[in-house]
Amino acid sequence: MLKTLKPFPLLLLSGFLIMLGNGLSNILLPVRMQHDGVDISNIGIVLSMYSVGFLFGAIYCRQLLQRVGHIQTFAICGSLTAVAILLSGLYSDPLVLGAMRIITGFCIACTNATLDSWLGHSATEKNRGRILAVNQIIIMSALFSGQFLLNLAPVESTTLFILAGILFSFSITPIVIGRHKGPFIEDSQGMSFFTIIKLSPLGVVSCFFCGVLYSGLLNMLPIFASNNGIEGFDLSVFMGAAIAGAIILQFPIAYLSDHFDRRKVMFGMVATFIVFSILIPFLIYLEWFKLTLMALAITTGLAACLYPMSISEAFDKVIKEQILAAMGSLLAIYALGSILGPYSAAIAMESLGNNALFGFTVVAAFLLLIFISIRMKKSEALAIDDQESFVMQTPSGAVSVLDPRTVYTQSELSTNAGVQIAVNLAYENPAIALNMVKALARRDIKNASRLVAGLSQIKAVNIGKLYSAIVRIAPYRSIRTAQILIDAAPERAEQLVDWIIMQDDDDMCKIIVAIAAMMPDNGINILQYAAQKMVGKYPLAILAMTEEYINILSSSLDEMRPVDRVATDPQQTATELYNRMQDVSPEQSADIAITISEALPDASFDVAEAYLHNLLLSEEHPFKNKESIQKIQTAINLYMKEVAKNIPEHAVEVANTFIEIVPDVASSVVEIIQDAEQYSDSYLTQTITDKPVESQINEALQKAVELQNVDDT
């Protein structure tokens, strides 16, 4: 763990300091406003304004990072939060306080987004989950510690406001003096509220109620506690327990979420929340302070855990490439709930008394409980193994690229100053580019790869020669070098394929497939282009290339989340790949179809249908010429022998496909299946009779089976 965190101490220190100041300000403002005699409803409005700023910060933080950079963004936000808390200490007018809370919420969202994207850029795929957990623990620990700073000076003085301002200002120092350079932030498309609601109604609704419950509790608890005589250090302990619960309960909830139906776990969480919310006022009345702390920690912990549970529930319905966009929408939905929470709780407390805080949370939680019950009845539960894993997460204002469930973006090829200078020089004199790559490759292959990525975008530089400059020195880097080049310049993929085919590399097929795999939206086009170049000189390589690509696709499907697997539509991909390859090499049509079907058995029906379609098109009059009919029947029989031998579990399905169009092959097809000794006569007959006998095809197949049984007896 220490090795994992070694590159990030200054970033994490900055995050701790700014959240420490935020933790102090969060408890200081409601206590100070109550001391100054501000109405509870006005206190609720002021505290809700933090979430208004938080919402705008979550929406616009990426634009700010793109425009001014990471260090500047953090510095601006750190100084603005310092100004906001200092002005809050000088002016007690609710309008001023509300405006300052908007600024604070905006800045906290932006600073957390800054740290998260910075850590995400520096993290690896293996350690980013651990870094996310550590970052979340540091945030919550800082908020917890901030509650105890309230005891350093009287609330009525400006000392605590000054202390919070110092913490906000000082948080800028570690990140400014650090050696890390902020990463480049790419544009990202968001997901509309309508889309995310349609995909995961429960994820959206529970996320909204999480904002209502968690924000309502944390903001109004200081008022509730003070009205019950809990002040000074006891108040800090009281609020500290509330925040500690949000950290501690994530661990048992994570276990339950990953081992049981998530909706049942959520139902149990909300039901338990209701019980403890009812219990807390009675424990306060009985003056059982320690039990009150325990009940409060459980209550706020359960409310906080609704956020990562909501995210996991929504992610079950979202493809991996859309997870970040969905997370941004869920964060905004949480913010909307957290705007409503404090004000609604304040109105309830002002109208019905101090204990109405927990009456309000009980009503809100009961509404959520009803909605969970409705969703459980309306849709079937996802298999436990197919559920998205629970990841410790707090609504910090960041759309976390550290989340291990998101698509990992390799950052090892970010350019350094030396590489950028070399690229700029190559723009002026492209002829020296290859010499620079060769010289650098002999000394530092990693920096040479960076240079190749940069040079690939210069059209005057031959991309094939760039590839060869690395591979001749480091042949083992052939596939990785091709991937680097295409990642940097995907529009030049065909040029690189031309070069690789011309070089007649032993790993030609694997390299071309690696290039195609780097371009999921254009991969089959690249394979077809390569096949067209190979067909004259390397016809057998077309089949090898097809097999390599479809095997990679098949392996990736096994590792995919269920929703990603459905979105990929492997049957359609397999059929398209077959059609493209057989267009280039029709004489290998059957071999290509069988190869694809073996790798993706679930696509065997679709591929067989496409094969038969192409087989019929290859004959001018397929059903009017005896020779053509015989040729088609022979081809079908040969195809069925391969299917029955290699993918017997789909043999009957494929047989029905053929017989539907060419009923005359029914008898021979059934005989082929039986000869394969994979099916008993009774099984085959049952499989056929289970299907609706509504056409000539099924009748023909049924008769063929019966005739075969008579012959056997």
Side-chain angles (χ1 to χ4, degrees):
M1 180 60 72
L2 292 176
K3 185 178 180 181
T4 298
L5 300 178
K6 188 176 180 180
F8 314 118
L10 294 178
L11 298 180
L12 295 175
L13 178 59
S14 286
F16 180 84
L17 290 173
I18 200 163
M19 295 309 294
L20 184 63
N22 193 40
L24 173 57
S25 65
N26 286 344
I27 189 174
L28 175 59
L29 279 174
V31 173
R32 175 61 179 267
M33 283 189 286
Q34 186 182 38
H35 178 271
D36 292 341
V38 179
D39 294 339
I40 293 181
S41 59
N42 286 332
I43 293 175
I45 292 175
V46 170
L47 298 179
S48 291
M49 290 302 101
Y50 175 90
S51 296
V52 173
F54 180 92
L55 175 60
F56 283 107
I59 294 172
Y60 294 108
C61 61
R62 292 185 68 86
Q63 296 180 23
L64 186 61
L65 287 170
Q66 286 176 322
R67 179 169 297 182
V68 302
H70 285 65
I71 295 176
Q72 293 89 334
T73 295
F74 196 96
I76 291 169
C77 292
S79 63
L80 283 177
T81 49
V83 170
I85 194 65
L86 291 173
L87 288 176
S88 298
L90 293 175
Y91 302 99
S92 58
D93 185 271
L95 288 176
V96 175
L97 296 177
M100 295 304 101
R101 289 304 282 169
I102 292 175
I103 293 173
T104 301
F106 180 89
C107 291
I108 293 298
C110 289
T111 54
N112 282 330
T114 300
L115 292 172
D116 189 271
S117 65
W118 209 331
L119 292 170
H121 176 77
S122 303
T124 65
E125 187 169 17
K126 291 183 179 180
N127 69 13
R128 59 180 178 153
R130 294 194 296 272
I131 293 173
L132 172 64
V134 170
N135 189 40
Q136 296 296 319
I137 290 173
I138 286 175
I139 288 174
M140 298 304 291
S141 298
L143 291 172
F144 173 84
S145 302
Q147 310 305 305
F148 294 89
L149 298 180
L150 185 70
N151 301 282
L152 296 181
V155 172
E156 60 271 16
S157 70
T158 59
T159 303
L160 293 176
F161 290 92
I162 294 172
L163 176 59
I166 291 172
L167 290 171
F168 286 137
S169 298
F170 188 52
S171 68
I172 301 171
T173 303
I175 205 168
V176 169
I177 65 175
R179 297 180 179 180
H180 294 279
K181 182 181 178 182
F184 173 74
I185 297 295
E186 296 181 353
D187 291 326
S188 62
Q189 294 183 347
M191 179 177 288
S192 68
F193 285 173
F194 176 79
T195 301
I196 189 65
I197 290 172
K198 185 177 180 181
L199 289 172
S200 179
L202 179 56
V204 169
V205 171
S206 59
C207 192
F208 176 81
F209 274 95
C210 173
V212 172
L213 296 171
Y214 188 60
S215 180
L217 278 173
L218 282 191
N219 280 283
M220 299 309 297
L221 274 175
I223 307 299
F224 171 84
S226 295
N227 289 339
N228 281 284
I230 301 174
E231 297 177 343
F233 184 76
D234 285 346
L235 176 59
S236 295
V237 172
F238 188 79
M239 292 304 300
I243 294 173
I247 303 174
I248 296 170
L249 258 66
Q250 299 241 5
F251 298 99
I253 294 297
Y255 177 84
L256 294 173
S257 175
D258 290 343
H259 290 83
F260 299 94
D261 177 5
R262 183 175 294 114
R263 297 179 304 176
K264 292 182 180 179
V265 175
M266 292 177 73
F267 186 93
M269 288 170 60
V270 177
T272 305
F273 175 91
I274 292 172
V275 171
F276 279 91
S277 292
I278 295 172
L279 188 61
I280 287 173
F282 289 100
L283 294 175
I284 289 284
Y285 176 76
L286 296 172
E287 297 183 355
W288 291 351
F289 188 62
K290 292 182 179 179
L291 287 178
T292 302
L293 295 179
M294 185 180 299
L296 182 64
I298 293 172
T299 303
T300 55
L302 290 171
C305 287
L306 278 175
Y307 182 74
M309 287 288 283
S310 302
I311 288 179
S312 297
E313 173 66 23
F315 285 1
D316 286 337
K317 316 296 190 304
V318 176
I319 64 173
K320 197 165 188 176
E321 288 75 14
Q322 293 179 323
I323 283 181
L324 282 177
M327 195 184 298
S329 297
L330 290 171
L331 184 61
I333 290 165
Y334 169 85
L336 291 173
S338 62
I339 292 171
L340 180 64
Y343 180 64
S344 300
I347 293 297
M349 293 171 72
E350 188 173 57
S351 302
L352 302 174
N354 194 52
N355 288 337
L357 170 62
F358 288 96
F360 162 76
T361 60
V362 167
V363 172
F366 187 71
L367 292 175
L368 176 58
L369 198 67
I370 293 173
F371 188 80
I372 295 173
S373 301
I374 293 172
R375 294 306 305 174
M376 289 174 69
K377 292 179 180 179
K378 193 169 183 179
S379 60
E380 293 183 3
L382 196 64
I384 304 299
D385 292 340
D386 291 339
Q387 285 186 164
E388 191 57 77
S389 59
F390 180 99
V391 173
M392 182 176 180
Q393 194 91 300
T394 56
S396 60
V399 178
S400 184
V401 295
L402 286 168
D403 193 313
R405 297 168 295 188
T406 61
V407 176
Y408 177 69
T409 303
Q410 181 73 24
S411 60
E412 68 170 282
L413 295 177
S414 55
T415 58
N416 55 33
V419 169
Q420 190 59 51
I421 291 172
V423 171
N424 293 337
L425 183 60
Y427 271 107
E428 300 295 330
N429 187 358
I432 69 170
L434 295 176
N435 292 329
M436 288 191 296
V437 172
K438 291 175 183 177
L440 188 57
R442 292 188 179 93
R443 300 194 312 271
D444 187 348
I445 195 67
K446 189 173 182 179
N447 268 325
S449 297
R450 289 192 178 98
L451 179 57
V452 161
L455 293 174
S456 66
Q457 300 174 52
I458 303 176
K459 292 183 179 180
V461 177
N462 187 302
I463 193 170
K465 292 183 178 179
L466 279 177
Y467 167 81
S468 294
I470 294 286
V471 172
R472 286 174 183 170
I473 295 171
Y476 61 92
R477 296 274 296 183
S478 58
I479 291 178
R480 181 61 186 142
T481 302
Q483 291 174 327
I484 289 169
L485 287 166
I486 298 310
D487 187 41
E491 70 282 357
R492 304 186 71 184
E494 291 183 359
Q495 297 176 30
L496 183 57
V497 167
D498 284 338
W499 180 271
I500 291 169
I501 294 174
M502 184 176 65
Q503 298 302 306
D504 191 15
D505 193 299
D506 291 339
D507 293 328
M508 175 177 62
C509 292
K510 291 183 178 180
I511 298 169
I512 293 173
V513 168
I515 292 172
M518 290 288 292
M519 309 171 69
D521 295 333
N522 198 39
I524 293 180
N525 290 334
I526 293 298
L527 291 179
Q528 184 181 27
Y529 178 83
Q532 289 168 344
K533 297 291 183 179
M534 293 175 176
V535 69
K537 190 176 181 181
Y538 311 108
L540 296 179
I542 295 175
L543 186 61
M545 184 173 65
T546 302
E547 184 176 12
E548 180 78 17
Y549 184 81
I550 204 68
N551 283 333
I552 290 176
L553 176 61
S554 178
S555 298
S556 67
L557 289 174
D558 295 336
E559 299 172 1
M560 282 185 182
R561 303 154 63 242
V563 65
D564 293 321
R565 198 177 302 126
V566 172
T568 300
D569 195 359
Q571 288 82 3
Q572 174 63 30
T573 302
T575 304
E576 184 180 358
L577 177 62
Y578 162 74
N579 284 326
R580 297 289 192 91
M581 294 298 102
Q582 95 82 38
D583 283 346
V584 177
S585 182
E587 63 276 7
Q588 298 187 81
S589 180
D591 292 334
I592 292 171
I594 290 294
T595 297
I596 293 173
S597 297
E598 287 179 14
L600 283 177
D602 289 342
S604 56
F605 170 82
D606 303 89
V607 173
E609 195 172 43
Y611 169 73
L612 182 57
H613 174 74
N614 287 312
L615 181 62
L616 296 176
L617 285 179
S618 67
E619 299 295 325
E620 188 173 352
H621 300 290
F623 296 115
K624 294 182 180 180
N625 185 304
K626 288 185 178 181
E627 185 179 344
S628 295
I629 294 173
Q630 183 62 40
K631 186 177 178 181
I632 290 169
Q633 290 177 341
T634 300
I636 289 175
N637 290 336
L638 290 173
Y639 191 94
M640 277 306 308
K641 287 180 180 179
E642 292 297 321
V643 170
K645 177 183 177 182
N646 298 309
I647 42 175
E649 68 274 17
H650 292 277
V652 172
E653 185 180 34
V654 172
N656 273 305
T657 303
F658 288 143
I659 296 169
E660 185 174 353
I661 308 299
V662 190
D664 292 341
V665 301
S667 179
S668 61
V669 162
V670 171
E671 185 177 352
I672 289 169
I673 296 175
Q674 290 176 324
D675 287 345
E677 298 182 354
Q678 297 292 334
Y679 299 98
S680 66
D681 292 345
S682 60
Y683 174 82
L684 183 58
T685 304
Q686 184 65 36
T687 304
I688 296 164
T689 54
D690 282 347
K691 298 178 181 294
V693 184
E694 300 174 350
S695 66
Q696 176 187 2
I697 297 91
N698 286 341
E699 291 176 2
L701 185 55
Q702 180 69 30
K703 290 178 182 178
V705 173
E706 291 172 356
L707 289 172
Q708 185 65 36
N709 289 337
V710 171
D711 292 341
D712 290 342
T713 58

